[in-house]
């Protein structure tokens, strides 16, 4: 099958390309040069929102598309809503229209930030109420995908982390790095989240894309809903690290964009539907630790 992945240089996209390569004909799309390890996939440099991604999908003749690419810097989106709209809304519209024209199945990846965080964890039937430019543009991107691509599922994930060599820094990697250096780690005491190991999220997204006909929204985060302080302690414990984890109130930090506090996603539907099950946080940390061990080699 001809399968394309947008945002292929990113956390989830990189994992998806690694899982697909060698099993399907794969087009990896990202802006600028490829930063992934070499493999049996084709790379095309394309931006989201300017037509170049749609052109590349058309030239490839994509039959299935995992749309992961996004402007994911939450505070960056708040500072530059025009760019956020261009990438997260116009870019999603571009991908969805291309899928419509090609008759391709689409899985568009989204976020728990579409909820306001007043009463999480949230199920698929709960009503989004996004706050801030990132959340609002991601929500609009969801609607563009669902409305324009006839065969589409929106997969929401949350707090993605990866120990893969070259993967970008995340809260989990910062906990390991800071505690290893003997530095304290600050963790928001009032944020509840469902951390998602990138490799697990990518595997669930690909199963949804290639093996199911499910249409509509599906929550594909990790299975454990917990506070960030608890998450930090569990990361530390798995890595045998001691040190100070400092609870901080979100309101005490000046952040450009609002954060949902009581967030997190319910994944019962995914657990019932998929062979690739959402991982508990301890299962995810086991794999994260193994990924991290491979970094040094
Ligand atoms: N990370 C999280 O905690 C989290 C939580 C919930 C939902 N999500 C969603 O999950 C998806 C994947 O996120 P991720 O964690 O893998 O994020 P990521 O590592 O930031 O990956 C996003 C990718 O999109 C690319 N991109 C950004 N602007 C682009 C543009 N104009 N044209 C083409 N590509 C562009 C980025 O390119 P560069 O590498 O060049 O910057 C990056 O490779 C996103 O849809 C995100 O909204 C993420």
């Amino acid at each position: 099958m001809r399968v394309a992945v947008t945002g292929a240089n990113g956390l989830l996209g990189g994992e998806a390309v690694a899982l697909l390569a060698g099993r399907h004909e794969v087009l990896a799309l990202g802006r600028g040069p490829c930063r992934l390890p070499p493999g049996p996939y084709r790379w095309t440099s394309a931006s989201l929102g300017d037509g170049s991604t749609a052109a590349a999908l058309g030239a490839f003749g994509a039959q299935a598309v995992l749309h992961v690419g996004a402007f994911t810097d939450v505070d960056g989106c708040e500072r530059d809503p025009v760019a956020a709209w261009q990438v997260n809304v116009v870019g999603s519209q571009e991908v969805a229209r291309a899928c419509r024209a090609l008759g391709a199945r689409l899985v568009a990846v989204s976020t728990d930030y579409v909820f306001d965080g007043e009463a999480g964890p949230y199920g698929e039937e709960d009503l989004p109420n996004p706050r801030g430019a990132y959340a609002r543009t991601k929500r609009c991107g969801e609607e563009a995908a669902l409305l324009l691509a006839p065969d589409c599922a929106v997969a929401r994930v949350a707090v993605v982390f990866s120990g893969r060599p070259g993967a970008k820094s995340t809260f989990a990697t910062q906990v390991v790095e800071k505690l290893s250096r003997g530095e304290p780690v600050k963790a928001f005491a009032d944020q509840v989240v469902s951390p998602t190991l990138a490799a697990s999220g990518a595997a669930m997204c690909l199963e949804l894309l290639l093996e199911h006909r499910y249409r509509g929204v599906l929550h594909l985060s990790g299975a454990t809903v917990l506070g960030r302080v608890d998450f930090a302690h569990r990361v530390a414990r798995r890595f045998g690290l001691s040190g100070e984890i400092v609870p901080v109130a979100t309101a005490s930090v000046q952040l450009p964009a609002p954060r949902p506090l009581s967030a997190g996603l319910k994944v019962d539907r995914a657990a019932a539907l998929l062979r690739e099950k959402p991982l508990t946080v301890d299962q995810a940390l086991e794999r994260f630790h193994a990924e991290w061990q491979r970094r040094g080699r």
Side-chain angles (χ1 to χ4, degrees):
M1 203 175 205
R2 288 185 300 279
V3 186
V5 179
T6 70
N9 270 329
L11 279 176
L12 270 179
E15 297 291 350
V17 172
L19 287 167
L20 287 166
R23 297 184 187 174
H24 293 274
E25 208 179 321
V26 182
L27 176 67
L29 293 161
R31 57 177 174 185
C34 178
R35 302 195 301 271
L36 300 175
Y41 60 84
R42 197 187 310 170
W43 177 269
T44 296
S45 172
S47 277
L48 283 162
D50 70 358
S52 57
T53 297
L57 292 173
F60 178 58
Q63 295 170 297
V65 177
L66 181 62
H67 175 42
V68 192
F71 188 176
T72 57
D73 174 353
V74 175
D75 293 325
C77 286
E78 203 65 23
R79 283 187 284 263
D80 191 349
V82 174
W85 187 270
Q86 184 66 16
V87 179
N88 294 345
V89 185
V90 182
S92 295
Q93 170 189 298
E94 175 185 355
V95 171
R97 289 177 76 141
C99 288
R100 183 182 189 86
L102 291 160
R105 177 157 166 81
L106 170 64
V107 168
V109 177
S110 190
T111 170
D112 61 336
Y113 270 49
V114 298
F115 297 108
D116 55 23
E118 298 288 335
Y122 296 95
E124 286 86 353
E125 305 304 332
D126 286 315
L127 220 53
N129 182 27
R131 292 177 177 168
Y134 170 72
R136 291 168 68 188
T137 56
K138 288 296 294 182
R139 175 68 188 132
C140 290
E142 289 186 348
E143 287 296 356
L146 290 167
L147 209 69
L148 297 173
D151 186 5
C152 174
V154 161
R156 294 190 185 129
V157 298
V159 185
V160 179
F161 66 108
S162 168
R164 179 170 61 87
K168 80 171 179 189
S169 172
T170 58
F171 178 65
T173 59
Q174 285 164 21
V175 170
V176 177
E177 284 167 351
K178 286 192 173 173
L179 292 182
S180 301
R181 291 197 297 263
E183 294 170 19
V185 175
K186 289 182 184 164
F188 288 119
D190 47 0
Q191 288 187 20
V192 173
V193 294
S194 313
T196 312
L197 186 76
S200 162
M204 291 191 286
C205 285
L206 289 177
E207 185 187 330
L208 179 63
L209 179 70
L210 301 174
E211 298 179 38
H212 298 271
R213 303 183 71 91
Y214 182 99
R215 293 175 181 175
V217 174
L218 189 65
H219 290 176
L220 293 185
S221 65
T224 307
V225 179
L226 78 176
R228 277 190 184 266
V229 173
D230 187 6
F231 183 46
H233 279 291
R234 290 190 197 217
V235 172
R237 213 163 36 240
R238 182 58 197 88
F239 282 73
L241 293 165
S242 53
E244 208 188 345
I245 293 164
V246 186
V248 176
T250 304
S252 71
V253 182
Q254 291 287 326
L255 296 167
R259 302 298 200 269
L261 298 182
S262 177
L265 298 172
K266 293 179 186 164
V267 291
D268 315 62
R269 196 180 287 184
L273 178 74
L274 301 181
R275 183 177 27 77
E276 198 65 55
K277 304 293 179 200
L279 300 180
T280 65
V281 70
D282 291 325
Q283 289 170 327
L285 288 175
E286 226 21 72
R287 286 179 55 180
F288 175 63
H289 184 259
E291 291 173 348
W292 195 271
Q293 301 301 104
R294 289 197 288 274
R295 281 190 167 201
R297 293 184 200 152

